[in-house]
Amino acid sequence: QKTTVLFIGEEQPKNAYTELQVLKGHFDMVRFLVRIDDVRFASAGDDGIVLLWNVQVGERLHELRGHSQQITAITRFQKHSAESSCPMILSASSDRSVSLWDADTGNRVQTVTDLRSSVKCLLVLERLDLWLSGGNDLCVWNRNFELLCKTEDFNDAGITAMIELPKNCIAAAMDKELIIYRLTVPSSELESWEIQEVKRLIDHQDSIRALISVNDQAFASGSHVGELIVWDSLDWTIQSYERVFGDTAQADIQSEIKLLSPKQNEMSVQHLTSDGEYIVAAIGSGIYVYSLLTKNVIAYRKTAHDSDVLHTLKLPNGQLISCSEDGSVRFWMLQDLPPPAEHASSAFFGMWGFGRANKQPNQQVKKGADCLVLRSLELTGDLIGHSGAVQMFLPFNDNVLVTCSTDHLVMLWKDGDRESRLRSLDLFNKLEQNKGL
């Protein structure tokens, strides 16, 4: 049952996605969507199959079979040669294998099997023409699937996420820690590639659930207890630290927090995304928009969905998209609010741990309202089509959105008015060619 406060109803004048096309082909939950180019994408999930689609007509182009167990990671890999550049798909599976597929033909080009553990994440370094696999160890491979170097095995926990940093560095999330590695390129002094650990960041208090690049100067990570840390990409120091239900609350509301204290999953950072100016954090069933300039939350929806938010995205036009375990995809618009008469919001953001939070207890907590410009998140659209949790979405040009779900389905959401005009134009062209017959 939908929350009445956020129920938008049948009439959604600001929602252009009024036409739905269901794409069938998977027989288990679909977890991943990867964009290949402007007209193609790949879907993958627990059935071990990778399907390639044409987004314009919803046609299935290729069925990539080769994995015997569920897909655990997938990414795009642009393979360059002297003659041309070919789009490829790199996929990893629980069967302890990684495969490289030609997106044009659907053929498997390379594969590596019998790895020591399942690969949980993949990272392509196109600048160096390398790719990395993370699991119980971190391996560096070239485009011919030759192992160049690797780290020692991690016995307690594996690497769950990786991002590229400047100066040939990598940030890898492993349980509560972020490990910074440096890749050393072969030279006259060094015959082969090397990867070395240079620093461990141990500031998170619980397992890291999200790790993203923000811009050239910063990256961010979020944890299971609602921590959001923004890091400097060059020296790996903390630029800002925020936490939901942190210890920065005022004494007079401690009892209220205790009474309203949520379950652990309601505090967890499920997903992070950034446009370089803002970070959108999916925390439990809520959405929080964090400004990198003012270092505080400028807009939020504590209950954006009826269940945990799994994926978010901020578009250049100020629109946000979110999807959830409740099976819905929602559109939000950042709206400016009139300035408040007094700084009443500081107590709220202090209570929820957002604002000018600081980990050092000997420093005074600065109120977030000092430079806070509040905005609202207005619900402008609600796409209801999936019968299971929507794992993620993928936007394309011309108001086309792809979604995938635990209901085994991939769905294309399109601008109904635009599609109707295109069909009418196509019909007129055919009539003209056939002289009206």
Side-chain angles (χ1 to χ4, degrees):
Q1 185 177 356
K2 295 296 174 187
T3 308
T4 54
V5 176
L6 292 177
F7 182 64
I8 193 171
E10 297 292 335
E11 296 295 329
Q12 302 180 28
K14 297 181 181 180
N15 180 11
Y17 297 91
T18 56
E19 185 166 307
L20 171 63
Q21 184 178 359
V22 179
L23 308 183
K24 297 181 180 180
H26 289 283
F27 55 86
D28 208 333
M29 63 177 62
V30 189
R31 298 182 183 271
F32 304 105
L33 297 170
V34 175
R35 182 172 180 151
I36 300 173
D37 50 34
D38 291 341
V39 295
R40 293 181 296 174
F41 71 95
S43 60
D46 287 5
D47 55 12
I49 304 172
V50 180
L51 299 180
L52 272 55
W53 307 88
N54 181 301
V55 74
Q56 295 176 329
V57 295
E59 176 189 3
R60 191 196 310 176
L61 303 173
H62 298 291
E63 187 172 304
L64 313 183
R65 289 182 177 267
H67 293 297
S68 60
Q69 296 182 35
Q70 69 183 57
I71 304 296
T72 54
I74 186 170
T75 188
R76 184 179 181 273
F77 185 90
Q78 193 76 19
K79 193 169 184 179
H80 301 282
S81 65
E83 297 80 18
S84 62
S85 180
C86 177
M88 314 291 282
I89 296 292
L90 195 62
S91 62
S93 169
S94 295
D95 61 12
R96 300 187 179 185
S97 71
V98 180
S99 294
L100 183 67
W101 311 84
D102 189 315
D104 292 333
T105 64
N107 296 328
R108 182 157 62 175
V109 179
Q110 300 279 0
T111 187
V112 58
T113 59
D114 299 326
L115 298 172
R116 292 190 178 184
S117 68
S118 297
V119 172
K120 299 178 182 178
C121 54
L122 295 166
L123 177 64
V124 175
L125 306 180
E126 291 194 4
R127 179 177 54 85
L128 299 174
D129 207 15
L130 303 174
W131 61 276
L132 285 70
S133 61
N136 286 359
D137 50 20
L138 175 58
C139 300
V140 181
W141 310 80
N142 64 16
R143 63 178 180 178
N144 296 320
F145 273 48
E146 297 170 338
L147 181 62
L148 302 178
C149 55
K150 60 177 294 187
T151 62
E152 296 180 0
D153 293 343
F154 304 116
N155 296 322
D156 297 333
I159 293 174
T160 56
M162 296 183 292
I163 58 170
E164 182 180 6
L165 298 179
K167 298 182 179 180
N168 292 346
C169 289
I170 305 295
M174 187 178 70
D175 196 24
K176 301 177 184 180
E177 299 179 344
L178 282 173
I179 309 176
I180 307 299
Y181 293 98
R182 178 174 283 116
L183 273 169
T184 306
V185 181
S187 62
S188 56
E189 293 82 15
L190 184 67
E191 294 183 357
S192 60
W193 288 86
E194 283 190 0
I195 184 167
Q196 295 179 331
E197 177 183 327
V198 293
K199 191 169 185 178
R200 289 204 175 206
L201 310 178
I202 56 173
D203 298 271
H204 277 292
Q205 299 178 25
D206 207 336
S207 58
I208 297 170
R209 302 293 300 272
L211 176 65
I212 62 166
S213 296
V214 174
N215 49 43
D216 293 338
Q217 292 79 39
F219 65 100
S221 55
S223 79
H224 189 58
V225 291
E227 299 165 301
L228 170 64
I229 302 181
V230 181
W231 308 86
D232 189 289
S233 295
L234 295 175
D235 60 15
W236 317 309
T237 56
I238 294 179
Q239 291 187 354
S240 60
Y241 176 100
E242 315 294 337
R243 182 174 176 182
V244 177
F245 298 98
D247 299 326
T248 60
Q250 299 174 2
D252 58 348
I253 58 173
Q254 288 290 346
S255 59
E256 184 177 0
I257 292 179
K258 188 174 181 180
L259 290 173
L260 299 176
S261 181
K263 299 178 181 178
Q264 191 83 333
N265 65 326
E266 295 176 348
M267 302 162 55
S268 177
V269 177
Q270 308 291 343
H271 187 261
L272 293 174
T273 187
S274 177
D275 61 356
E277 184 180 2
Y278 300 100
I279 295 176
V280 181
I283 303 178
S285 59
I287 301 173
Y288 297 82
V289 182
Y290 178 83
S291 170
L292 291 161
L293 178 63
T294 60
K295 291 184 169 55
N296 49 34
V297 170
I298 61 161
Y300 68 94
R301 275 283 187 175
K302 182 188 172 186
T303 309
H305 287 265
D306 294 331
S307 300
D308 284 349
V309 179
L310 301 181
H311 197 80
T312 59
L313 180 68
K314 183 180 180 296
L315 301 178
N317 61 0
Q319 193 177 49
L320 271 70
I321 314 176
S322 61
C323 65
S324 166
E325 287 183 346
D326 64 13
S328 69
V329 180
R330 289 186 159 177
F331 294 87
W332 310 86
M333 183 61 70
L334 274 172
Q335 302 281 4
D336 290 329
L337 288 179
E342 56 184 71
H343 295 321
S345 60
S346 61
F348 174 86
F349 285 103
M351 171 182 174
W352 299 97
F354 281 103
R356 300 284 182 141
N358 196 301
K359 293 193 69 176
Q360 287 73 22
N362 59 341
Q363 295 184 14
Q364 184 179 2
V365 175
K366 199 173 181 180
K367 300 302 179 185
D370 289 348
C371 57
L372 191 65
V373 179
L374 275 179
R375 298 182 183 179
S376 67
L377 279 176
E378 177 192 354
L379 179 62
T380 59
D382 197 359
L383 307 183
I384 305 297
H386 287 288
S387 60
V390 180
Q391 298 295 301
M392 67 174 294
F393 52 81
L394 196 63
F396 280 82
N397 296 332
D398 300 323
N399 283 346
V400 178
L401 187 75
V402 186
T403 58
C404 66
S405 169
T406 58
D407 61 9
H408 311 176
L409 298 177
V410 175
M411 292 188 177
L412 286 181
W413 304 84
K414 298 183 178 182
D415 185 333
D417 292 339
R418 180 180 181 275
E419 295 300 314
S420 178
R421 290 194 301 269
L422 290 176
R423 283 191 292 268
S424 298
L425 181 61
D426 185 53
L427 178 60
F428 290 146
N429 289 336
K430 289 181 179 179
L431 288 174
E432 185 177 356
Q433 292 172 3
N434 298 327
K435 298 181 180 180
L437 298 179

